[in-house]
Amino acid sequence: MDSHGQNEQQVVWAVIDSDIGPLLLAATGEGLVSVGFHATDAVRDKALDRLASRFGTEPVEAPESPLLAEAIRQMAAYFAGGRKDFELPLDWSLISGFNRQVLRELASGVPFGSVVGYGDLARRVGQPGAAQAVGMAMGANPLPVVVPCHRVVESDGGIGGFGGGLETKRKLLALEGVLPEPLF
């Protein structure tokens, strides 16, 4: 508790290298709370400002923190091809309502090496007309890669959009064997 009798949530973070560029990982005592793509200094600072605003405390760089250790280990194993599923505690506090429902279904119901259409995912959560809303939920996903929004594609076979960029989505789908590896 802080001096005002309120619980203060510690947020720790680290930037790790990956096959898709630097990733910002942030965690709380509840679990991994955020994964950010393209973690250049400017992108990182903006993400950390959002986390500070949301949690009311300044995130602390702590790559050796026990709160991050397992997430860092599992990310490395995933990109090395040795892990297909993430088994991490997740802090879902940055997302709520329909978006949380969709992302939880995605995390539990769309395994490594498979894809699902936006409309199919909408049907799975009981909202068959909400394909566009599913797309918005993917764009709001605070835990990409771990909550695999890269596995959501268009029903006509198109790759769809992706907050980390289409090249990043292609690389993740190639890593999982859904798409061929790019030639260059």
Side-chain angles (χ1 to χ4, degrees), residues 53-66:
S53 173
R54 171 61 178 84
F55 288 103
T57 186
E58 203 61 39
V60 176
E61 183 174 16
E64 304 300 322
S65 171

Side-chain angles (χ1 to χ4, degrees), residues 55-158:
F55 288 103
T57 186
E58 203 61 39
V60 176
E61 183 174 16
E64 304 300 322
S65 171
L67 298 176
L68 289 169
E70 188 61 16
I72 291 170
R73 190 185 71 68
Q74 288 189 28
M75 279 284 188
Y78 171 80
F79 284 109
R83 174 167 282 280
K84 295 183 178 183
D85 300 307
F86 290 96
E87 297 171 4
L88 296 169
L90 301 178
D91 179 338
W92 292 94
S93 65
L94 295 179
I95 198 114
S96 62
F98 177 79
N99 289 358
R100 184 185 290 191
Q101 181 184 10
V102 169
L103 292 173
R104 282 183 180 267
E105 173 60 30
L106 174 63
S108 65
V110 183
F112 182 96
S114 65
V115 294
V116 65
Y118 294 95
D120 292 334
L121 194 51
R123 279 188 285 285
R124 288 185 187 193
V125 297
Q127 300 290 327
Q132 270 191 311
V134 166
M136 298 296 286
M138 296 305 104
N141 181 4
L143 295 160
V145 182
V146 175
V147 177
C149 53
H150 59 277
R151 296 180 190 156
V152 184
V153 297
E154 295 174 348
S155 60
D156 66 2

Side-chain angles (χ1 to χ4, degrees), residues 33-58:
V33 72
S34 180
V35 175
F37 293 114
H38 314 298
T40 61
D41 289 348
V43 170
R44 179 200 67 213
D45 291 347
K46 189 174 181 182
L48 293 173
D49 286 347
R50 280 194 309 269
L51 288 168
S53 173
R54 171 61 178 84
F55 288 103
T57 186
E58 203 61 39

